Every structure is written in C-alpha cells, then in structure tokens.
Amino acid sequence: MDWYQTLFELIDMRSFSNLWFWIVLAVVWSTASHWVLGVPYDMVLRARRQGGQAEADLEDMVRININRLLYIGQVSGLWLAGFACFLLTMLALLGFVYGVEFAQALFLLAFPLSIVGMLSLSTARLIQAEEATGELLFKRLNRHRLFTQLIGMVSIFVTALWGMYQNVSVGPLAG
C-alpha cells in the first residue's frame, strides 16, 4: 500500500460516510448557537442574572460587535454578498448537478450559515436602530439565538437525511 492510498483512506473524500464531517457539523452549529453576534451566550446569561457591571460589559461588547458587523456590511457588503452567492452557486452546481459529494457537504454547511449571517446583520441593524439596552437587548439576543438554533436543527436534519440517502444510494466504495 503506498502513501497516497493511505492518505486518501484516512481523509476519505466521501463526506457523508466520514465521521469527521459529522463532528465538524456538530461543532459548527454548537459554536454558531453559542456565539450570539460575537458575544458568548454565557455572558448574556450572567449579565441578565447579575446586572450591574456584567450588564454594562455585555452592552459594550454587543455595541462593539454590531458596529463592526454593520461597518463591514456597509463597506464591503455588496462584494461579500456577490462572492458568497458565487461560492454557494458553484457548490450547488458541483454538488447537485455534477454529483461531487464533497461540494454537497460544503453547500449543506455553508448555505444555512449564510442565512445565519444575514440574520446576524438584520439583528445588528435592529439593535442599533432601537438603541437596545437592558431587557430589550436580552430579548433581541435570545431571539437571535433561538432562530440560529432552529436554522441549525433544520440544517442538521436535512444534512442527515441527504447523507443517509447518499450512503444508501452510493454504497461503500469498491476497493
């Protein structure tokens, strides 16, 4: 057995039968639901419970992150949107028209994350427009986290269904 064959057995480009893909999927959605607009969710909970300095720290961190997000959106949002659409279209065509399983896996990761990205931008605009602090800020961050988790659950479900379909229809690789 040569090193090339050993390397590709270790990496296994068939994504849906690879344990690493499912680990990455779980970590991506766990991380996405933990970091709400760039703020760790435990900080939101601590600020809600303790108030005072913890709440002031949360408000400062949210303000910094939404200003950063909105600045990026204003300065290069159109270019980023165009590039993201190009990348998603390329992955969708490679994956679902040409049958490249790796592209399917990347699309099933990237497309829902792009929706979360748009949701983050929308929530940041809303928080800035309302100048949300205190209880209203907690409400906005909780709602954003809930929607992110819902998108993640649907994404994991659809990915699992598609992955099972791929594994059943394609079957094991012939050695």
Side-chain angles (χ1 to χ4, degrees), residues 69-97:
L69 243 162
L70 293 174
Y71 177 76
I72 290 169
Q74 290 170 353
V75 170
S76 56
L78 193 57
W79 283 100
L80 288 173
F83 182 72
C85 289
F86 167 76
L87 184 67
L88 289 171
T89 302
M90 181 186 70
L91 288 173
L93 288 174
L94 281 172
F96 300 104
V97 174

Side-chain angles (χ1 to χ4, degrees), residues 34-50:
H34 178 69
W35 290 87
V36 181
L37 294 177
V39 178
Y41 192 69
D42 60 292
M43 187 176 186
V44 176
L45 294 176
R46 187 174 60 242
R48 183 175 233 163
R49 274 192 304 254
Q50 295 176 358

Side-chain angles (χ1 to χ4, degrees), residues 21-82:
F21 171 73
W22 298 104
I23 291 171
V24 166
L25 184 71
V27 168
V28 162
W29 285 110
S30 174
T31 303
S33 68
H34 178 69
W35 290 87
V36 181
L37 294 177
V39 178
Y41 192 69
D42 60 292
M43 187 176 186
V44 176
L45 294 176
R46 187 174 60 242
R48 183 175 233 163
R49 274 192 304 254
Q50 295 176 358
Q53 186 60 45
E55 188 174 340
D57 290 346
L58 173 72
E59 289 173 358
D60 289 340
M61 196 157 172
V62 168
R63 180 184 48 79
I64 290 167
N65 284 331
I66 66 170
N67 285 341
R68 186 179 141 269
L69 243 162
L70 293 174
Y71 177 76
I72 290 169
Q74 290 170 353
V75 170
S76 56
L78 193 57
W79 283 100
L80 288 173

Side-chain angles (χ1 to χ4, degrees), residues 22 25 29 108-109 111-113 115-116 146-163:
W22 298 104
L25 184 71
W29 285 110
L108 291 171
L109 274 170
F111 180 69
L113 285 174
I115 295 171
V116 170
L146 176 68
F147 286 144
T148 300
Q149 288 175 329
L150 290 173
I151 293 167
M153 287 187 325
V154 169
S155 171
I156 291 170
F157 180 73
V158 168
T159 303
L161 284 179
W162 184 256

Side-chain angles (χ1 to χ4, degrees), residues 36-37 62 65-74 113-132 137 140-141 143-145 147-148 151:
V36 181
L37 294 177
V62 168
N65 284 331
I66 66 170
N67 285 341
R68 186 179 141 269
L69 243 162
L70 293 174
Y71 177 76
I72 290 169
Q74 290 170 353
L113 285 174
S114 68
I115 295 171
V116 170
M118 290 185 291
L119 179 67
S120 296
L121 199 56
S122 173
T123 303
R125 282 192 183 125
L126 186 61
I127 289 172
Q128 188 181 54
E130 294 176 340
E131 297 179 3
L137 180 61
R140 295 290 176 225
L141 294 175
R143 183 173 290 158
H144 179 78
R145 183 170 191 245
F147 286 144
T148 300
I151 293 167

